[in-house]
Amino acid sequence: MAENEPGPGGSIEIIQREMTAFARRARASAARMHPELSLVSFTLLSHLEDRGGCRATDLAAYYMLDKSTISRQVGALEKAGLVERRLEPGDHRVQVLHLTERGTGLLQRATDSRRVAFRERLAGWSEPDLERFAEYLLRYNAGAPEG
Amino acid sequence: MAENEPGPGGSIEIIQREMTAFARRARASAARMHPELSLVSFTLLSHLEDRGGCRATDLAAYYMLDKSTISRQVGALEKAGLVERRLEPGDHRVQVLHLTERGTGLLQRATDSRRVAFRERLAGWSEPDLERFAEYLLRYNAGAPEG
DNA sequence: ACTCAATGTTGTACTGTACAACCATTCGCG
DNA sequence: CGCGAATGGTTGTACAGTACAACATTGAGT
């Protein structure tokens, strides 16, 4: 009660609800689109591609996951031949993770089929609307407290 | 680099990436905000409040979850005293689920603290931008293939 | 009455995750 | 130098969330 404001509260409420609704479905949706690459794996590989390789610790920080979780995920990805570990020459504690060719290829295919789905979903949108929506999302995520 | 792409592809790519990034963090984020109410529980309770009660099957369809998953989730929520089951008078197969007072209260508190977080995140935004962003999200989710 | 569909529960297995304990390496400093 | 703290990562353990398959119960149509 009391939040019947037609002003700022209203939009924020809607944004909250709709972002949550999307998040809630994302995993199942991703799983249906790509049985071979879970949402987690997909995002980890994406980050590796984005950065051109990084450390496990960086992944953990970026995705707010425990280092043990990353360790196991990376282990699985390595076993699947999608990433490789390279020892940092100057520091033998760290392993720099890189996509393998196979990883790059799989990521590419996943990204493509996801893009098709998004494109379909956004089919009726005008170009200015798409640009503004993209801009809003960037701005929203840039404000993430987690980095 | 990257965003200098002209045309529809660029924006769609960004939307895809940013929506995914958000989804990826939502769970951990929700967990940190509300250790007592997971993202799943929160969304289930929200739906119940929204609809003023519904069947387990409806929840399963809406969230693309298996009925067994819903069954267990609802079981836990009932055990926690957050929802109650009412037998449909005319059909003893179905149980209509309703929030209890306790469930309503907990949901309210969770929603409030989430709203605070969202509000903070959106602090620098102009009112027209908020409205447009909300509108875009509604429009995007309305196009969900899953209903 | 018999069969079939709808609703939900239970058995089982697997993924993703956190936390704590641990190992290995490096760094800071007396 | 040498030791303790910090950093990066792995392993043990436990638990939540999820799916799939098998099942029980109830209602509907013939």
Side-chain angles (χ1 to χ4, degrees):
Chain A
M1 44 205 97
E3 289 307 309
N4 288 353
E5 307 167 45
S11 296
I12 289 181
E13 202 80 29
I14 293 172
I15 291 167
Q16 170 186 339
R17 181 157 42 81
E18 297 303 314
M19 291 296 268
T20 304
F22 173 81
R24 186 55 204 75
R25 291 172 215 232
R27 185 215 270 218
S29 207
R32 283 219 318 292
M33 250 189 282
H34 263 279
E36 295 310 301
L37 198 57
S38 75
L39 182 60
V40 180
S41 306
F42 176 76
T43 52
L44 294 183
L45 294 184
S46 293
H47 195 71
L48 285 184
E49 183 173 64
D50 229 53
R51 306 297 171 98
C54 71
R55 301 172 308 163
T57 295
D58 301 331
L59 291 175
Y62 190 74
Y63 290 113
M64 299 193 298
L65 294 172
D66 192 80
K67 55 185 183 163
S68 66
T69 300
I70 296 293
S71 175
R72 287 181 231 267
Q73 289 289 332
V74 168
L77 291 175
E78 186 191 28
K79 202 164 142 198
L82 304 178
V83 310
E84 62 181 11
R85 305 159 131 112
R86 299 185 195 158
L87 282 187
E88 184 82 347
D91 187 339
H92 283 237
R93 289 172 304 182
V94 323
Q95 327 171 324
V96 184
L97 305 169
H98 289 269
L99 286 180
T100 60
E101 264 194 41
R102 184 149 170 243
T104 306
L106 184 54
L107 178 61
Q108 189 60 57
R109 285 194 295 284
T111 303
D112 284 352
S113 82
R114 285 172 60 85
R115 178 167 38 223
V116 167
F118 273 79
R119 205 183 284 284
E120 209 167 287
R121 187 85 159 261
L122 297 164
W125 293 50
S126 76
E127 184 54 28
D129 279 348
L130 285 176
E131 281 168 15
R132 239 180 329 223
F133 189 30
E135 183 214 311
Y136 286 154
L137 286 169
L138 279 172
R139 191 162 149 204
Y140 180 83
N141 280 338
E146 315 87 12
Chain B
M1 51 158 183
E3 270 83 281
N4 290 355
E5 253 177 85
S11 297
I12 289 182
E13 202 81 30
I14 293 172
I15 292 167
Q16 170 185 339
R17 181 156 44 80
E18 297 303 314
M19 291 295 267
T20 303
F22 173 81
R24 185 55 204 75
R25 292 174 215 231
R27 185 215 268 216
S29 205
R32 282 219 319 292
M33 251 188 282
H34 263 280
E36 295 309 299
L37 197 58
S38 75
L39 182 61
V40 179
S41 306
F42 176 76
T43 53
L44 294 183
L45 294 184
S46 292
H47 196 71
L48 285 184
E49 182 174 63
D50 229 53
R51 305 297 170 97
C54 72
R55 301 171 310 164
T57 296
D58 301 330
L59 290 175
Y62 189 73
Y63 290 113
M64 300 194 298
L65 294 172
D66 192 80
K67 55 186 181 161
S68 65
T69 300
I70 296 292
S71 175
R72 288 181 230 266
Q73 289 287 333
V74 169
L77 291 175
E78 187 191 28
K79 203 165 142 199
L82 305 177
V83 310
E84 61 182 10
R85 304 159 132 112
R86 300 185 194 158
L87 282 187
E88 184 83 345
D91 187 339
H92 282 238
R93 285 172 307 183
V94 323
Q95 326 170 327
V96 183
L97 305 169
H98 289 268
L99 286 181
T100 60
E101 266 194 39
R102 186 151 168 240
T104 306
L106 185 55
L107 178 61
Q108 188 61 57
R109 285 194 295 285
T111 303
D112 283 351
S113 83
R114 285 172 59 86
R115 177 166 40 222
V116 167
F118 273 79
R119 205 183 284 282
E120 208 167 290
R121 187 86 160 261
L122 296 164
W125 294 49
S126 76
E127 185 54 26
D129 278 348
L130 285 176
E131 281 169 16
R132 239 179 329 224
F133 189 32
E135 183 215 312
Y136 286 153
L137 286 169
L138 278 172
R139 191 162 149 204
Y140 180 83
N141 280 339
E146 315 88 11

